[in-house]
Amino acid sequence: MITRPLARWFDDRLRASSFAHHALNKVFPDDWSFMLGEIALYSFVILVLTGTFLTFFFTPSSKEIVYQGSYAPLRGTRMSEAYASVLKISFDVRGGLVFRQMHHWAANLFVAAIVIHLVRIFFTGAFRRPRELNWLIGVTLLALGIFNGFTGYSLPDDLLSGTGLRIAYSIALSIPVVGTWTAFLIFGGEFPSQDILRRLLITHIMIVPALLVALISAHLAILWRQKHTQFRGRGRTETNVVGSKLWPTYAAKSLGLFFGIAAVGGLLQINPIWLYGPFNPSTVTSPAQPDWYLGWVEGALRIFPPWEFRSFGHAVPNPFYPAVLLPGVTFLILYAWPFLERWATGDRAEHHLLDRARDHPARTAIGAGAFTFYVVLHFAASNDLLAKTFLVSVSAVTWAFRILVVTLPVLVGAITYAWLSAVHRSEAEGVLRVPLAAFVPVEPPPTDDEGEHVEPPPGHGLYDPRSTAP
Amino acid sequence: MNRPARDQRSFARAIGGAFALSAAASIGLTVVYALGGQPQIEGALIGASLGGLALGFVWWGTHLLPQGPFVEEREPLTSAPAERLAFTEDFTRLAQETPRRRFLGRMLLVAVGALAAAAVFPIRSLGPGPGRSLFRTAWRRGSKLVTEEGGPVAVGDLPVGGVVTVFAEASVGVADSQTILVRVDPASFRPLPGRETWSPQGYLAYSKICTHAGCPVGLYEQSTNSLFCPCHQSVFDVVDGAKPVAGPATRPLPQLPLEVGPDGLLRAQSDFTEPVGPGYWNEGS
Ligand code: FES
């Protein structure tokens, strides 16, 4: 085998053995919910690989040409060079369509995994000291992921993406005081401008990916330094980590996950831009919807009442509130959450053991309410489709959503709070006399689904956390 | 936690099988590709080749490799006081050995701040200033109304209830000039005060750019005389100055004053009298 001499060669020059030894023995907890961040990471790797391939064939130009390629239904149509190049990728470049679909799937999965990862981190309290830094980085990654998803969605210059850009331009325009300048500087003039596709491409393939790489690296380095959190369970304490070793068990599972994620993308069709047709500023398809991760903004745009602020010849137009203010406040609260909670609870201690949702009824209730809010907005983005399906008027559906978006989160939050507090109390009394209590594990889960037992290995001096916990 | 050897052997066989499947799919992929490619088959084969690897690795990890649990102790994340002190001393060396350090510090701040401010200016190169461009469109006094194909619209061209997208002549396709021309029965509505001469023979022309977020307001429903925006479902009442009657839009669609020229062609009396499209901060000035 060549590996041994090779390893020696490097070690003679880098003195890497001790670090490598530590690294390979690093322990990773075995809970499935810890895979979510990994899924995001691997989606990113797939995005970079497939995206690089696509870059070789994409032309970021809005110059109008007449299509002569191999997709017959559009032959002879006037379209931008950008749209024509995406048709070429889909129909004329060998393997091109598969790469495009994998890229698009991975993008959707990337954001989805980040969102669910964030939800997991939130409800288990994993953002508490010492992990606030990684929370901040993670929230930034989410924002960048959504943003880059949108820039990528806009590149093909098909009818849907062009409509999305038109709306984005109008949203930029709606910002008080600096809106017109912002829109003109971003788009290089009044919509539709000649420059925007090139700018989107540079942003999409260089600026944001570079930021993502830097932040993901920092995220992982900090994780490495601070080690994973873990759920409560026998043998698990604030001062240890219990799980499998990086090498070989964890690495094998993790590689399996990577290939599993990559496999999904090849199989399913997504975003058949050739059916939408080229962008033309005076046509629009109906229904027009963005990719899922912008559904909540789209929903907010649809159901926000026709209000706006106007005085002394100045206006803060309607799209500003649902599409600038709401996302701004959303991310502000996300960023601030660890500090808000610390301020509210006064808890400044270090935490490596995770909470269960019911350990912290207030946090869980707020989280559940907030989550409901965004889910309702998400469905509101389909108000026209729902109206069609249920044969009611769009405005009735819109009104229903306007009411739901205010009431449902409060309701969900209140019910969650009451229920969890009851579970919490009765647990303290040692009896579970609460409706639906079967859905919460009574004991701290000592095993995971593999049925592994955490027996203290001999000589490890493990102790029961509950007997020593403060 | 070791499994019986027989179990292990059958897992090893399964894992080997998964890897073999993956290899076969990859070879198949190469062949399909060499023969000219076919997206569905390519997709399926990529799925199989990656999926085989995935299965193999997961089985290997969960069935053949040591399952632990292993325990690793955490080291404290905070530096020891002595380390902290040593670092503070290192760092403050700069200040201790510099005379007039407050003055130097301030000047350094000014220099760096000025450089940062100067570095912002290239942003200005990114685009032209908005100027008055948002207040103007391509419509002028006497502009002929032409359809997307470039033909003019004569007064008899559209039946009552008809609708067509028009542009100013010589500006076909220009986004901010797109206008929707509707013909309604002149007896069925009363023009808004001040607009009595704008709608000859029941022709009403409105900017086609939604005042909400700029989508083209493309759908006209004759029975209710409404224009629908497909993006967020705003509805505008054609015979009431295109006032929004539902959805998030707040402003009516601006109306283009029309006249019939001596040649029987529809023409604009002037540009729109207010900014078209979605609102912005200084739209009223
Ligand atoms: S763009 Fe027309 S309703 Fe939003």
Side-chain angles (χ1 to χ4, degrees):
Chain A
M1 279 285 262
I2 180 82
T3 42
R4 199 177 288 258
L6 205 62
R8 200 171 304 137
W9 191 89
F10 276 107
D11 194 43
D12 286 344
R13 282 153 186 82
L14 298 170
R15 201 182 172 192
S17 282
S18 145
F19 172 76
H21 170 74
H22 268 108
L24 296 187
N25 279 299
K26 198 169 173 58
V27 167
F28 289 78
D30 278 322
D31 194 83
W32 68 268
S33 64
F34 284 53
M35 282 190 330
L36 296 164
E38 247 177 295
I39 294 177
L41 174 66
Y42 292 147
S43 308
F44 182 69
V45 174
I46 292 163
L47 282 169
V48 172
L49 293 177
T50 53
T52 307
F53 180 83
L54 296 175
T55 332
F56 294 139
F57 306 101
F58 178 71
T59 318
S61 150
S62 29
K63 210 177 107 210
E64 209 179 54
I65 56 157
V66 175
Y67 181 66
Q68 302 293 2
S70 62
Y71 183 60
L74 284 177
R75 225 174 275 152
T77 311
R78 306 185 69 78
M79 57 177 66
S80 66
E81 281 190 307
Y83 184 69
S85 73
V86 181
L87 287 178
K88 188 173 124 197
I89 292 174
S90 307
F91 295 109
D92 300 314
V93 176
R94 269 192 223 181
L97 183 59
V98 178
F99 273 101
R100 242 197 78 219
Q101 307 212 344
M102 283 176 80
H103 193 71
H104 202 137
W105 274 115
N108 277 323
L109 186 62
F110 179 61
V111 186
I114 296 180
V115 169
I116 306 171
H117 182 54
L118 177 133
V119 168
R120 200 279 286 174
I121 299 287
F122 179 87
F123 284 112
T124 58
F127 53 81
R128 291 170 300 175
R129 187 181 160 196
R131 292 183 179 77
E132 305 97 323
L133 264 178
N134 252 0
W135 170 268
L136 298 179
I137 295 176
V139 173
T140 313
L141 285 171
L142 173 61
L144 288 173
I146 292 177
F147 176 69
N148 223 30
F150 178 74
T151 58
Y153 177 86
S154 304
L155 281 176
D157 203 30
D158 58 282
L159 194 46
L160 270 189
S161 78
T163 305
L165 271 183
R166 182 63 177 94
I167 296 174
Y169 169 82
S170 308
I171 291 168
L173 215 53
S174 76
I175 301 170
V177 188
V178 295
T180 48
W181 272 97
T182 311
F184 271 62
L185 292 182
I186 293 176
F187 282 76
E190 197 177 342
F191 184 89
S193 69
Q194 293 300 306
D195 297 340
I196 187 63
L197 288 177
R198 180 195 304 271
R199 289 182 187 181
L200 283 172
L201 181 68
I202 305 279
T203 312
H204 183 73
I205 69 172
M206 286 173 63
I207 303 174
V208 181
L211 288 173
L212 285 172
V213 168
L215 289 174
I216 291 172
S217 310
H219 201 69
L220 292 176
I222 292 173
L223 166 82
W224 191 272
R225 177 89 194 178
Q226 297 180 334
K227 299 199 166 78
H228 280 75
T229 53
Q230 58 191 346
F231 284 105
R232 285 162 202 278
R234 230 181 303 158
R236 302 183 185 172
T237 73
E238 288 282 8
T239 60
N240 71 7
V241 193
V242 179
S244 16
K245 289 189 175 178
L246 171 65
W247 189 258
T249 314
Y250 182 78
K253 289 185 200 167
S254 191
L255 274 170
L257 183 66
F258 171 73
F259 288 116
I261 293 168
V264 177
L267 296 172
L268 301 164
Q269 169 167 301
I270 188 168
N271 203 22
I273 51 109
W274 54 91
L275 299 181
Y276 307 148
F279 177 58
N280 168 348
S282 58
T283 8
V284 68
T285 56
S286 175
Q289 272 164 331
D291 265 354
W292 76 269
Y293 43 79
L294 280 174
W296 56 290
V297 180
E298 170 81 8
L301 271 169
R302 287 178 183 217
I303 64 171
F304 192 78
W307 294 337
E308 63 187 16
F309 174 82
R310 212 177 263 281
S311 67
F312 303 113
H314 290 299
V316 184
N318 178 285
F320 175 75
Y321 311 97
V324 181
L325 203 61
L326 171 76
V329 171
T330 301
F331 275 91
L332 207 68
I333 294 178
L334 279 175
Y335 276 120
W337 183 264
F339 311 101
L340 287 178
E341 185 179 303
R342 190 179 70 178
W343 167 78
T345 60
D347 178 0
R348 285 153 194 281
E350 231 179 85
H351 295 279
H352 299 288
L353 285 177
L354 294 173
D355 286 338
R356 292 161 307 167
R358 72 185 131 148
D359 295 335
H360 224 297
R363 179 207 292 146
T364 307
I366 292 173
F371 194 73
T372 313
F373 176 73
Y374 293 103
V375 170
V376 173
L377 284 183
H378 186 92
F379 282 106
S382 309
N383 60 354
D384 51 339
L385 297 180
L386 291 171
K388 216 181 266 169
T389 314
F390 296 108
L391 303 173
V392 279
S393 76
V394 173
S395 85
V397 178
T398 303
W399 267 107
F401 274 116
R402 282 178 186 156
I403 294 166
L404 282 178
V405 83
V406 187
T407 51
L408 207 58
V410 177
L411 202 69
V412 168
I415 292 176
T416 311
Y417 186 80
W419 182 54
L420 288 181
S421 307
V423 173
H424 200 69
R425 259 196 318 276
S426 73
E427 194 184 26
E429 292 158 8
V431 234
L432 275 186
R433 260 184 289 98
V434 178
L436 301 177
F439 288 102
V440 275
V442 184
E443 274 292 295
T447 59
D448 74 4
D449 49 347
E450 254 295 300
E452 66 159 327
H453 269 280
V454 184
E455 294 295 4
H460 244 290
L462 280 181
Y463 44 87
D464 186 335
R466 279 160 301 172
S467 62
T468 53
Chain B
M1 203 159 71
N2 277 335
R3 294 167 185 279
R6 195 164 44 82
D7 252 32
Q8 289 218 355
R9 238 173 297 133
S10 63
F11 270 118
R13 221 173 301 127
I15 295 165
F19 286 158
L21 170 83
S22 164
S26 297
I27 293 167
L29 186 64
T30 320
V31 173
V32 170
Y33 186 82
L35 292 179
Q38 204 286 340
Q40 276 76 33
I41 303 180
E42 278 166 10
L45 288 173
I46 287 186
S49 96
L50 296 169
L53 280 172
L55 268 185
F57 272 119
V58 169
W59 282 339
W60 199 343
T62 47
H63 295 297
L64 297 187
L65 295 174
Q67 290 304 306
F70 300 96
V71 179
E72 189 182 5
E73 295 301 316
R74 291 178 194 277
E75 293 115 49
L77 289 169
T78 314
S79 304
E83 289 169 338
R84 250 185 216 184
L85 199 66
F87 166 74
T88 318
E89 271 169 18
D90 293 341
F91 191 73
T92 47
R93 222 175 281 150
L94 172 82
Q96 283 158 6
E97 286 160 26
T98 310
R100 305 199 59 194
R101 62 193 154 90
R102 192 148 291 159
F103 166 70
L104 285 182
R106 246 175 243 158
M107 287 319 289
L108 180 63
L109 215 66
V110 170
V112 173
L115 179 63
V120 171
F121 280 99
I123 291 179
R124 179 61 184 82
S125 314
L126 287 176
R132 300 297 291 173
S133 59
L134 288 173
F135 295 87
R136 276 194 306 256
T137 73
W139 291 101
R140 296 287 171 271
R141 184 192 172 109
S143 304
K144 266 186 237 154
L145 275 61
V146 297
T147 62
E148 249 164 317
E149 288 74 41
V153 184
V155 81
D157 283 356
L158 226 56
V160 167
V163 59
V164 66
T165 300
V166 293
F167 293 88
E169 57 183 317
S171 300
V172 174
V174 171
D176 68 0
S177 308
Q178 50 179 306
T179 299
I180 192 144
L181 179 68
V182 187
R183 188 172 191 186
V184 298
D185 179 3
S188 72
F189 82 106
R190 188 175 315 152
L192 296 191
R195 299 187 179 180
E196 289 85 356
T197 65
W198 289 16
S199 45
Q201 313 203 13
Y203 278 103
L204 286 159
Y206 294 104
S207 162
K208 199 182 171 186
I209 312 171
C210 186
T211 53
H212 176 234
C215 289
V217 183
L219 313 171
Y220 174 62
E221 198 181 274
Q222 197 194 339
S223 61
T224 55
N225 277 327
S226 318
L227 281 167
F228 288 87
C229 177
C231 281
H232 314 105
Q233 285 76 46
S234 286
V235 183
F236 302 89
D237 184 352
V238 170
V239 291
D240 192 11
K243 241 184 27 205
V245 289
T250 52
R251 275 193 314 141
L253 299 168
Q255 187 177 357
L256 186 72
L258 299 180
E259 61 186 13
V260 180
D263 46 6
L265 296 181
L266 284 172
R267 293 170 186 271
Q269 288 187 31
S270 69
D271 196 355
F272 288 100
T273 53
E274 49 192 316
V276 298
Y280 47 95
W281 177 246
N282 56 338
E283 61 174 37
S285 60

